[in-house]
Amino acid sequence: MTAPSNVELLIGGMTCASCAARIEKKLNRLDGVTATVNYATEKAKVSYGPGVTPQDLVATVQKTGYTAELPRPRPEAQPDGASAEDGVLRRRLLISTALTIPVITLAMVPAWQFDFRQWLSLTLAAPVVVWGGAPFHRAAWSNARHGTATMDTLVSLGTLAAFGWSLYALFLGSAGEPGMTHAFELTIARTDGGANIYLEAAAGVTTFILAGRYAEARSKRRAGAALRALLELGAKEVSVLRGGAERRMPVGELAVGDLFVLRPGEKIAADGEVTEGSSAVDASMLTGESVPVEVGPGAVVAAGTVNAGGRLVVRATRVGTATQLAQMARLVEDAQNGKAEVQRLADRISGVFVPIVLALAVATLGFWIGTGAGLPAAFTAAVAVLIIACPCALGLATPTALMVGTGRGAQLGILIKGPEVLESTRRVDTVVLDKTGTVTTGRMTLLDVVPATGEDAARVLRLAGALEAASEHPVAQAVAGAAAERTGPLPAATDFANLAGLGVRGVVDGAALVVGRPALLADCSLPLPADLERAVAAAEASGRTAVAVGWDGAARGVLVVADAVKDSSAEAVRRLRGLGLTPILLTGDNATVARAVAAAVGIEQVIAEVLPADKVAVIKRLQAEGRTVAMVGDGVNDAAALAQADLGLAMGTGTDVAIEASDLTLVRGDLRVAADAIRLARRTLGTIKVNLFWAFAYNVAAIPLAAAGLLNPMIAGAAMAFSSVFVVTNSLRLRGFTPLPENRGAPTPLPAVRAAPTA
């Protein structure tokens, strides 16, 4: 069976959620097509089968009355300024406002109602209704030709009806006579409308809605600023080494394997490996890590980070859309284009909302005429119903909150894959933490140096490190690295020999060393004294590795090595508990090691000695117990468990396959960010719910008032525009989300070498 293809269409001409629902419905009617249309981002994500082409999708959208374009190459980040379309909308709004103010003033202030002022009002109001409201009228006409109705239908019908009634009253009625006055009150009260012409309502509603549209456009542009900021992080040019010479070229021409040069202050153009030089790299814009990271030959660097120190030569390993930066931008964009279940409900409602409102408006008109209230009062109530019901806020409730929330997350190193993730975070009650690389550093670290009585701890470490430097074993590298860091440059070892599974031997500074398991020293007639035996027993009891060191016929010390617990893990577990989650440690390591790590970070429940293939079974068992499970991991063997969990969180320092399988990616390797990620996701979901409540409650409360004749049409227009602005403004509050305070009291995984005990 052929896998479906996917494409993203750029949609033009949408003005409300009803437009998006209509396009989505038309696309989904095609065989083998599954489409999601997002009003806020003006994009459609479409999955289609072999019998459909992208051109068919574009044609379907165009037949529906909108424009559609196939995706273009990923653009450079655009400045956060007004687009050409925004400029036209702004000009239309400013001119309409300038013309509307005197119309409303003449209607509201009786002292200014001079003879024939109504004809001046007509002269000023006509351009507003006809030209200022032209976008609504064009959209309504297009909808009518296709047999549908949207929010624009409501706006166009309401304003044209008010304007048309005014023309009738002026030319065929008595409203055009000299001395005619117009009692206008900005209050909620029933009126028969007999003394009114509706020029101020028609112009005022048009201007209010234009203002709402302009505010929406600006807010949507601000909501997408985080994604633009991510794209802006990338370098534009790069100095490539070819043929022994530097050549400056656009970053798009950089290829995998190329060597490129970085000078202080330059952005790194691609993911790569340092081959020459040493420096500090500022990754704060990408990961949120405030402290620059020291790098040297062999270190991995990411595109978008900044070289803060010396000259570096880097070999490109991932370029263009394959870089971590580009993947982050793609994840953010995909998340912003998705839909949560709550949004799907809103879309279904808005799809049938407009026809219902039109029916209500007709029913309102008929009811008031039938009760003898008079045509003016009936007309006033019907127009107010049309205007108040515009479902703009419904269409913006979810997309704007999602755009701001995911964008803010990206700034903090938290990538939310899709809106459905938000609902998962609300239900989660259990968090399963992988041990290696998640709770621990994932690499062996020297934790302690225990010298024999009368020995110098620094000398024990220095000699052992010099010998271990010749070995590739992870334990040996941990010892050698710590020795070089704490005691300075190491002497060279001679006569080196690797004893597989036991340790190493050789000569350093004239001393014949043996470094390895205690059993190796015993075989070499270097038995451990009682104090070192106790140190070995204590290390092994806590799941750590004890490395014995001896020379010149005696055991001189014990080095304690382990996969160290991250200094942030204990604080992270406390934060996760604070969110109402029960932490569980899951590992393939032995139970002794697992319990020691769990005790260090404050976890009571441990599941140890689990094969990689069995991690999924553990998640399924917990789910069968009625738990909603979040899983945090970083390795290839965690990918299936991350996918099985109700909420998968991948450490960004882990493997690509784990990141792809997860719902949330934590760019930094700090487990505390997991708590911030869940907090942000829950905050975003809460914002969506508040937005939807406002949109629904607003219409439910206001439509009866309008139908009862208690809502002036101009107040209805202002309130409708305000509801959309409120929803967007509420979403923008997510830009102020801040992580929890950093844990400043965490223990260091590399304690200083302690002094030898005295006899």
Side-chain angles (χ1 to χ4, degrees), residues 50-64:
V52 179
T53 66
Q55 288 72 25
D56 294 333
L57 302 174
V58 170
T60 300
V61 175
Q62 290 174 341
K63 288 177 184 176
T64 311

Side-chain angles (χ1 to χ4, degrees), residues 1 33-34 53 120 122-123 125 191 229 237 310 396 481 517 531 697 704 707 729:
M1 183 176 177
V33 171
T34 303
T53 66
L120 175 60
L122 174 63
T123 304
T191 172
E237 292 186 330
L396 292 169
R517 293 179 182 272
D531 56 342
T729 304

Side-chain angles (χ1 to χ4, degrees), residues 164-196:
W165 179 272
S166 300
L167 291 178
Y168 170 82
L170 286 169
F171 287 98
L172 301 178
S174 59
E177 296 175 357
M180 177 266 189
T181 60
H182 187 171
F184 179 85
E185 294 182 355
L186 203 64
T187 58
I188 298 178
R190 184 172 300 165
T191 172
D192 63 7
N196 290 352

Side-chain angles (χ1 to χ4, degrees), residues 378-645:
F379 177 76
T380 300
V383 169
V385 168
L386 289 175
I387 293 168
I388 198 68
C390 297
C392 242
L394 285 179
L396 292 169
T398 294
T400 52
L402 192 61
M403 289 174 72
V404 180
T406 53
R408 179 59 179 152
Q411 291 175 331
L412 299 173
I414 301 167
L415 303 184
I416 302 173
K417 272 198 174 177
E420 62 281 352
V421 173
L422 306 178
E423 281 144 358
S424 299
T425 62
R426 176 176 55 86
R427 299 190 301 268
V428 164
D429 53 31
T430 303
V431 57
V432 176
L433 305 174
D434 173 57
K435 180 182 76 71
T436 306
T438 301
V439 176
T440 65
T441 61
R443 63 183 183 275
M444 301 305 287
T445 305
L446 179 68
L447 298 181
D448 203 359
V449 178
V450 184
T453 302
E455 293 293 334
D456 178 57
R459 185 163 187 257
V460 171
L461 178 58
R462 182 171 182 271
L463 294 181
L467 186 60
E468 293 278 46
S471 172
E472 295 297 325
H473 193 279
V475 171
Q477 289 299 302
V479 171
E485 179 181 337
R486 302 184 197 183
T487 66
L490 301 176
T494 58
D495 298 332
F496 175 82
N498 184 22
L499 307 173
L502 294 172
V504 295
R505 63 194 307 169
V507 178
V508 179
D509 282 352
L513 261 72
V514 178
V515 181
R517 293 179 182 272
L520 175 61
L521 271 71
D523 291 344
C524 296
S525 301
L526 302 173
L528 272 62
D531 56 342
L532 295 187
E533 287 279 9
R534 286 193 297 271
V536 170
E540 292 178 346
S542 61
R544 295 170 177 175
T545 300
V547 179
V549 182
W551 69 82
D552 294 343
R556 307 291 179 169
V558 170
L559 310 177
V560 180
V561 179
D563 178 7
V565 174
K566 292 179 181 177
D567 58 359
S568 60
S569 293
E571 175 68 13
V573 169
R574 284 194 291 273
R575 292 181 180 182
L576 291 169
R577 285 187 187 279
L579 293 172
L581 307 180
T582 301
I584 297 174
L585 187 68
L586 178 65
T587 179
D589 214 336
N590 68 69
T592 301
V593 174
R595 281 194 295 271
V597 171
V601 299
I603 297 177
E604 288 86 16
Q605 191 171 348
V606 178
I607 303 174
E609 300 178 13
V610 178
L611 296 175
D614 294 334
K615 288 187 176 182
V616 174
V618 171
I619 300 297
K620 287 182 177 179
R621 176 169 60 81
L622 292 170
Q623 290 170 328
E625 294 173 0
R627 304 194 195 196
T628 303
V629 182
M631 166 78 183
V632 187
D634 76 326
V636 173
N637 58 12
D638 297 324
L642 287 168
Q644 174 63 37

